Structure formats: structure tokens, C-alpha cells
């Protein structure tokens, strides 16, 4: 009996770079290792490939003709959370590298200098992709977001929640306002889940992450051949949101040209895909969010006044965390339990001074900053015990910032990341070059 060959599942890797020679070279290097390689020379065509193929890993140039790669990372990770992204640069700009890591990039490398490191790096990144897929599958088992799962008992928060619950039962457009990190997308999701449209899609996009052309393609879709890289028709989010909800985050960043097109959709339900002449229709509910004062932006000419009035039918303001400090303890317990399960931690002891320190912080980054702090605190705690010393100072502190015990600190973070220096640098909030310098200084291999 002949042996049966094992079924080998190839990983799909997308390379986005406008330097065609490098694009072909990297494609050849990676495909020779048995990976399936897709290539794109613009952000727009790359994003189109993400929507039409199951991509596991993206290697993306920082300086693209139609987008900034560092900003693209956050949007790609939001839409495709299993993805890992390696950014490539010709300049070795450390601030860009730091921001890339904060946005969720797996690594940040210099073109040419790192060609011999590409394949081992790709292999490690794909291991992380496998972990991401497993984590996402576990998270899907948990309950969907609804108002009963949103934590908060402060009066200002309960008022916002009451408004959201009332408007969820209608078809009214909603404008969520508030500082970054206050939970606007969570509220938008809950409104959708409690609405008559809950069986439809909840489609979300951050309007600040793309340039005009890419954002237009993402929202309105395009026809095959509409631009270089448009190898097939693509539905936009407006069409995908048919009978569901479209959430436009940071709508204040939307270019004026697209604002007029969005106004037409809201008034008539009609839109035209890029490269098409035929009118398409979509029936969706719009929820928008912004941390800007759109009324003032309209006065300054940065935002269409007619679109502002169309959006501002029902506004809900989400209070910053510093104005709802009585909610911090309950939020902390919830996220500590969530992260503990993720890290396989049991019997975590939480000292009272830990909660007090949390309540005394200013939380400029709001709930998002609180979550990050709690995750980091669990990584750095000693003897399964959380105390005040695990919490950074309120003025922009970071529990991974360097201190007098930085050698021990670095070792602990590297242990948590299983030796992944790029991930460690991101958590430490330093550049990758700084981390290597510290490792050499402390003679840490």
C-alpha cells in the first residue's frame, strides 16, 4: 500500500511595496520557501487583496504612494485581527518603528539590511498568527456585546447608557462623542445588537486610517479594473451593511469630497462604486463617532454643516474615565479576570492599594489605557499579587517604562513574549534599537 502524502496547507503572505524590484525579489525569496505569495504596489490594491484572499501575514512598506504604512497597521489589525504585519522601511526611522509597534505591528525592519533575516522572521510571525486564530476562536465563544455586559454605575455613564438603550430600538442615526478610548465602538456594537437589525452585519471602519482613495474604495466598493490592482469587483462596507449597521469611527477625519458622497447615501440610500456608472442601493443604519467638536469643525469649514446636522439627530456623549471613578474598580476586576484567563493565571491576589492607585490616576487614555495597564501589571506582578507598585504614575506613565530595576524588568517582559524582541520593545514602549542596546549593556543574550 502506497503511503498517503500529507496535506500541506500553505500560508498566504501579502507583500505591499511600490519598489517593484524589491517586491519581486521578496516574492521570490518567500515563495521559494513554500509560501503562497500575493503582491501589491499600493495600499488600495493591497487592501483589496486582503478582502478577496485569506492572508495570514503582510509585509508592508512604510512609505506607500497612497498611505502611510504605520497607520495602515492599526486598520488592518482591526479588520483582520488574526493578521500579523511586518513593516519595511528604507530609512530606519525609530519614532515610526515605535508607533508601528504600538499600532500592533509584529516587527519593523530596514530594507536590504534584513534580507537574510526575512524567512526566520516570517516563520516566527506565522507562529503568532496561529496563536491569534486560536485566541479569536475562544473569544467568539464568549457572549456578544450588549447593554447588560457594559460595565458602569456612575450617574453620567448610566445616563449615556439609558440614551443608547432607548435609541437602539429605533432607526435613528446616532452620533457618539467623547475622548479617545471611552468605549464608543463598544456602545455602537451594543446599539446594533439590541436593534431590529441585529441579524444584519455590523460593519466598522476608522476614517482616520486611510487616504481619500483607499477610504472611498473601502466604503463604496469598486468594479474590476477601477484602478491598478483592482483584479475583481469588491463590495464596500456600505453594501456589506445592507439591513445592518455601518459604524464610522473618527468621522471628523473624513475628507470633504467623501462627506458629500456620504450625505447622498444617507439621504437617498444611493451610491456609485468606484469605476462604475450604475447606481447601487443600500439600506443601513448609521452610527458615527468622533472625538472632535463637529459643530466647531463645521464653522471652520473642515466638516460639512449639512452632514453634521444629518448625523447629529441623536447625540450620546460618553464621559471620560476620570469623571466616573466609581466604575474603575468594577472595570478592573472584569479585565483582570479576562487577562488572567488568557495568561492561565489563577488565584491572583489584588491588594487594596492597587485599586486606590488605579482610582487616583487621571487616565488620559481612558478605558483603553486602563486595559493596557492592567494587562501589563499582570505580566510584571510578583508572587501572583497585584499592588500599587505595579501601577504607573498618572501623568502618561507606562508600567513597562524603564526604571532602576530595568534589567529584571526587561527579562520579565522578554520571558512573557517568549523571546520576541519586537513585541518586547512594543510593550516596553521603546524603540527596537534601544532594546538591543540595553541587552548588550546588560550582557543579556
Amino acid at each position: 500500500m502506497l503511503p498517503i502524502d500529507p496535506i500541506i496547507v500553505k500560508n498566504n503572505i501579502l507583500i505591499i511595496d511600490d519598489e517593484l524590484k524589491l517586491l519581486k525579489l521578496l516574492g521570490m525569496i518567500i515563495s521559494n520557501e513554500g509560501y503562497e505569495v500575493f503582491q501589491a504596489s499600493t495600499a488600495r490594491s493591497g487592501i483589496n487583496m486582503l478582502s478577496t484572499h485569506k492572508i495570514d501575514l503582510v509585509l508592508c512598506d512604510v512609505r506607500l504612494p497612497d498611505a502611510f504604512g504605520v497607520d495602515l497597521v492599526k486598520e488592518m489589525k482591526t479588520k483582520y485581527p488574526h493578521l500579523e504585519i511586518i513593516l519595511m522601511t528604507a530609512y530606519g526611522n525609530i519614532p515610526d518603528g515605535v508607533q508601528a509597534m504600538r499600532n500592533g505591528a509584529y516587527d519593523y525592519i530596514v530594507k536590504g539590511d534584513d534580507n537574510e533575516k526575512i524567512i526566520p522572521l516570517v516563520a516566527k510571525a506565522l507562529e503568532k498568527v496561529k496563536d491569534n486564530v486560536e485566541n479569536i476562536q475562544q473569544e467568539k465563544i464568549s457572549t456578544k456585546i450588549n447593554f447588560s455586559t457594559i460595565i458602569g454605575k456612575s450617574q453620567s455613564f448610566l445616563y449615556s447608557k439609558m440614551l443608547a438603550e432607548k435609541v437602539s430600538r429605533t432607526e435613528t442615526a446616532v452620533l457618539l462623542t467623547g475622548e479617545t478610548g471611552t468605549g464608543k465602538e463598544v456602545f455602537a456594537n451594543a446599539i446594533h445588537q439590541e436593534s431590529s437589525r441585529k441579524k444584519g452585519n455590523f460593519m466598522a471602519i476608522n476614517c482616520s486610517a486611510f487616504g481619500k482613495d483607499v477610504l472611498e474604495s473601502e466604503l463604496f466598493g469598486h468594479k474590476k479594473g477601477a484602478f491598478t490592482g483592482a483584479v475583481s469587483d469588491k463590495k464596500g462596507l456600505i453594501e456589506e451593511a445592507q439591513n445592518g449597521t455601518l459604524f464610522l469611527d473618527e468621522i471628523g477625519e473624513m475628507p470633504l469630497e467623501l462627506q458629500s458622497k456620504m450625505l447622498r447615501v444617507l439621504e437617498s440610500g444611493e451610491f456609485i462604486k468606484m469605476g462604475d456608472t450604475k447606481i447601487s442601493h443600500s439600506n443601513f443604519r448609521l452610527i458615527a463617532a468622533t472625538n472632535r467638536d463637529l459643530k466647531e469643525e463645521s464653522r471652520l469649514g473642515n466638516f460639512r454643516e449639512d452632514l453634521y446636522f444629518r448625523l447629529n439627530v441623536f447625540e450620546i456623549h460618553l464621559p471620560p474615565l476620570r469623571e466616573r471613578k466609581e466604575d474603575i474598580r468594577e472595570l478592573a476586576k472584569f479585565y483582570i479576570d479576562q487577562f488572567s484567563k488568557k495568561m492561565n493565571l489563577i488565584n491572583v491576589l489584588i491588594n487594596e492599594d492597587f485599586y486606590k492607585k488605579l482610582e487616583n490616576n487621571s487616565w488620559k487614555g481612558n478605558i483603553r489605557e486602563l486595559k493596557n495597564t492592567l494587562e501589563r501589571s499582570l505580566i510584571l506582578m510578583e508572587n501572583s499579587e497585584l499592588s500599587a507598585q505595579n501601577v504607573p504614575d498618572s501623568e502618561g506613565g507606562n508600567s513597562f517604562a524603564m526604571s532602576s530595576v530595568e534589567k529584571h524588568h526587561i527579562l520579565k517582559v522578554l520571558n512573557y513574549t517568549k523571546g520576541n524582541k519586537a513585541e518586547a520593545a512594543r510593550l516596553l514602549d521603546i524603540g527596537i534599537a534601544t532594546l538591543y542596546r540595553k541587552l548588550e549593556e546588560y550582557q543579556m543574550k
Side-chain angles (χ1 to χ4, degrees):
M1 184 175 178
L2 293 172
I4 299 173
D5 292 332
I7 298 173
I8 299 173
V9 180
K10 286 186 177 181
N11 288 110
N12 294 338
I13 298 173
L14 170 64
I15 308 171
I16 309 174
D17 200 315
D18 61 332
E19 291 185 43
L20 298 184
K21 287 183 179 179
L22 180 64
L23 188 65
K24 290 180 180 179
L25 174 63
L26 278 178
M28 181 182 68
I29 291 171
I30 294 172
S31 61
N32 283 343
E33 295 295 318
Y35 300 114
E36 189 73 32
V37 175
F38 298 84
Q39 299 178 0
S41 58
T42 64
R44 185 165 59 177
S45 56
I47 288 166
N48 181 41
M49 287 184 179
L50 282 173
S51 67
T52 54
H53 299 88
K54 185 184 178 301
I55 303 297
D56 301 300
L57 175 66
V58 176
L59 280 78
C60 182
D61 187 19
V62 170
R63 307 287 176 181
L64 293 167
D66 57 343
F68 183 40
V70 173
D71 292 337
L72 277 178
V73 171
K74 189 174 182 180
E75 188 63 27
M76 287 192 287
K77 289 285 287 184
T78 299
K79 197 167 184 182
Y80 307 100
H82 73 284
L83 267 185
E84 288 301 330
I85 301 145
I86 298 171
L87 282 185
M88 306 179 294
T89 178
Y91 308 102
N93 185 310
I94 289 177
D96 282 353
V98 172
Q99 189 58 50
M101 297 300 179
R102 286 175 176 166
N103 287 355
Y106 181 81
D107 209 339
Y108 182 88
I109 61 174
V110 177
K111 293 179 182 179
D113 294 348
D114 298 275
N115 279 350
E116 73 282 2
K117 301 175 185 175
I118 284 288
I119 297 305
L121 187 61
V122 163
K124 286 184 179 179
L126 288 171
E127 288 178 12
K128 183 73 161 51
V129 170
K130 185 179 177 182
D131 291 340
N132 293 346
V133 171
E134 290 176 358
N135 290 336
I136 290 167
Q137 288 172 343
Q138 290 177 356
E139 287 175 7
K140 283 183 177 179
I141 298 172
S142 60
T143 57
K144 289 184 178 180
I145 295 172
N146 54 52
F147 291 113
S148 65
T149 64
I150 297 178
I151 297 168
K153 59 184 180 182
S154 61
Q155 286 303 309
S156 58
F157 183 77
L158 287 175
Y159 179 68
S160 301
K161 188 174 174 180
M162 179 272 293
L163 291 176
E165 287 181 290
K166 283 183 176 294
V167 79
S168 68
R169 297 187 285 270
T170 73
E171 291 288 298
T172 304
V174 179
L175 179 63
L176 299 169
T177 62
E179 297 176 8
T180 299
T182 49
K184 295 189 286 292
E185 185 163 358
V186 172
F187 259 67
N189 218 317
I191 291 171
H192 170 73
Q193 292 297 334
E194 298 285 346
S195 75
S196 60
R197 294 177 176 267
K198 63 183 178 182
K199 292 183 180 178
N201 291 329
F202 176 81
M203 307 304 298
I205 190 170
N206 188 320
C207 298
S208 67
F210 300 119
K212 173 188 171 295
D213 291 340
V214 179
L215 182 59
E216 183 175 2
S217 173
E218 285 292 288
L219 284 172
F220 297 92
H222 61 248
K223 298 294 288 182
K224 180 180 178 180
F227 51 83
T228 303
V231 295
S232 61
D233 291 356
K234 176 190 173 182
K235 288 184 179 181
L237 297 182
I238 289 171
E239 187 174 0
E240 294 278 10
Q242 170 73 18
N243 297 322
T245 302
L246 176 64
F247 175 56
L248 300 181
D249 199 5
E250 303 299 351
I251 195 170
E253 308 295 331
M254 180 180 284
L256 283 167
E257 305 96 301
L258 293 187
Q259 290 179 26
S260 59
K261 293 184 178 183
M262 182 54 62
L263 182 64
R264 179 188 176 185
V265 180
L266 294 177
E267 291 178 339
S268 66
E270 298 179 347
F271 66 98
I272 300 176
K273 296 180 180 180
M274 295 179 70
D276 201 359
T277 55
K278 185 180 71 174
I279 292 176
S280 298
H281 297 82
S282 183
N283 181 336
F284 62 90
R285 198 239 188 105
L286 180 73
I287 303 177
T290 182
N291 58 14
R292 291 192 176 197
D293 182 344
L294 292 187
K295 186 175 182 180
E296 178 63 13
E297 293 295 315
S298 299
R299 188 186 69 79
L300 296 172
N302 298 326
F303 198 83
R304 289 183 63 109
E305 188 177 44
D306 46 5
L307 179 57
Y308 167 65
F309 287 126
R310 185 68 179 76
L311 292 173
N312 196 34
V313 178
F314 199 91
E315 179 180 338
I316 302 174
H317 179 74
L318 300 188
L321 193 54
R322 62 182 173 275
E323 292 179 8
R324 43 180 296 215
K325 293 205 169 183
E326 57 264 58
D327 295 336
I328 289 177
R329 184 177 296 242
E330 191 177 359
L331 284 165
K333 287 178 179 177
F334 174 78
Y335 290 121
I336 288 170
D337 180 60
Q338 200 175 67
F339 290 129
S340 294
K341 290 176 182 176
K342 188 177 179 181
M343 299 179 194
N344 295 316
L345 299 173
I346 57 173
N347 299 325
V348 175
L349 177 64
I350 308 172
N351 290 340
E352 183 63 23
D353 64 354
F354 180 80
Y355 287 126
K356 293 294 183 185
K357 186 75 178 289
L358 291 178
E359 291 166 353
N360 288 330
N361 270 16
S362 60
W363 301 116
K364 293 181 179 179
N366 294 295
I367 297 173
R368 190 174 299 162
E369 183 186 356
L370 174 66
K371 285 178 65 177
N372 291 341
T373 297
L374 293 170
E375 182 177 12
R376 292 163 178 168
S377 296
L378 284 165
I379 295 168
L380 296 173
M381 70 179 176
E382 299 290 347
N383 302 318
S384 296
E385 184 175 350
L386 288 173
S387 60
Q389 64 183 11
N390 297 123
V391 185
D393 293 331
S394 59
E395 294 304 314
N398 184 321
S399 57
F400 281 127
M402 291 302 178
S403 69
S404 60
V405 290
E406 62 184 3
K407 181 178 179 179
H408 174 70
H409 192 87
I410 292 171
L411 280 171
K412 194 154 191 176
V413 176
L414 280 169
N415 182 57
Y416 173 70
T417 64
K418 298 177 182 177
N420 185 326
K421 296 181 180 65
E423 177 71 2
R426 182 182 72 82
L427 293 173
L428 286 161
D429 202 10
I430 60 174
I432 189 72
T434 303
L435 177 58
Y436 276 105
R437 190 175 69 248
K438 291 292 181 183
L439 293 176
E440 184 178 353
E441 179 184 336
Y442 293 125
Q443 298 181 339
M444 297 159 62
K445 294 182 179 180

